[in-house]
Amino acid sequence: MILLAEHTFRVNGRQVTVDVEDDVRLLWVLRDLLRITGPKYGCGIDVCKACTSHLNGEAVSPCAIPVGALRPDDEVVTIEGLAGPDGPHPMQRAWIDHDVAQCGYCQPGQVMAAVALARRAAAEQREITDADLDGLRNVCRCGTYNRIRAAIMDGARHM
Ligand code: FES
Ligand code: FES
């Protein structure tokens, strides 16, 4: 017997409720139930980081988070929720300026990881270092890493 349960949380500024088993991963809830397809399915096992989104401001892999772990005041932000009323987020502008994307599949996750890194460095009142950039684990099969690194440094300066 499949037991469904209601799960309420916030996504990109709005409260949502889904009726689904506790152990369904957040990535599939976002993509298949809520039709928020910016977070991409790459590996499904928290390795490739294509699904990177923010949970309460931290970069996370929604493919590794059971929806039952979410609470009503938890805030999920995907690439769809990043732009503000004035247009693209500064990190998205940097991505455009540096013409980063090739096939584009990994790029929503890359941008979300970059924004979380830039915010963390700013909160610690320090510059982003090469070690920070080396620590990003998002896989890009097209090999856009050099442009990603340049865009992160540029985007962070404008945040
Ligand atoms: S799909 Fe989530 S880390 Fe690969
Ligand atoms: S742009 Fe193709 S996988 Fe990164």
Side-chain angles (χ1 to χ4, degrees):
M1 185 172 62
I2 295 174
L3 288 177
L4 301 180
E6 285 201 342
H7 304 282
T8 297
F9 51 99
R10 298 183 62 75
V11 183
N12 297 335
R14 71 186 170 103
Q15 197 100 39
V16 297
T17 298
V18 293
D19 209 4
V20 66
E21 300 99 295
D22 284 3
D23 60 353
V24 172
R25 302 298 154 133
L26 176 60
L27 179 60
W28 285 275
V29 171
L30 292 171
R31 290 182 55 84
D32 296 345
L33 299 183
L34 299 173
R35 304 291 179 197
I36 298 170
T37 56
K40 296 294 182 262
Y41 170 36
C43 65
I45 53 170
D46 195 15
V47 173
C48 73
K49 308 298 181 186
C51 63
T52 304
S53 302
H54 295 172
L55 175 58
N56 301 326
E58 300 283 331
V60 295
S61 298
C63 69
I65 298 173
V67 68
L70 293 173
R71 299 291 162 254
D73 58 350
D74 280 338
E75 176 83 44
V76 176
V77 177
T78 70
I79 191 82
E80 287 89 344
L82 200 57
D86 300 330
H89 184 278
M91 195 62 78
Q92 291 173 304
R93 285 193 198 281
W95 242 248
I96 294 164
D97 290 346
H98 289 264
D99 198 13
V100 174
Q102 196 163 313
C103 82
Y105 197 80
C106 72
Q107 301 294 336
Q110 302 279 7
V111 171
M112 297 308 282
V115 169
L117 168 60
R119 286 182 182 155
R120 196 164 63 245
E124 293 167 5
Q125 297 185 309
R126 63 178 183 81
E127 298 291 320
I128 292 173
T129 64
D130 279 341
D132 288 324
L133 298 174
D134 291 345
L136 293 174
R137 306 261 50 103
N138 297 59
V139 173
C140 176
R141 288 175 178 79
C142 300
T144 63
Y145 296 110
N146 287 344
R147 295 200 297 274
I148 287 170
R149 292 169 80 100
I152 291 174
M153 300 305 284
D154 193 14
R157 276 193 288 274
H158 295 94
M159 281 174 60

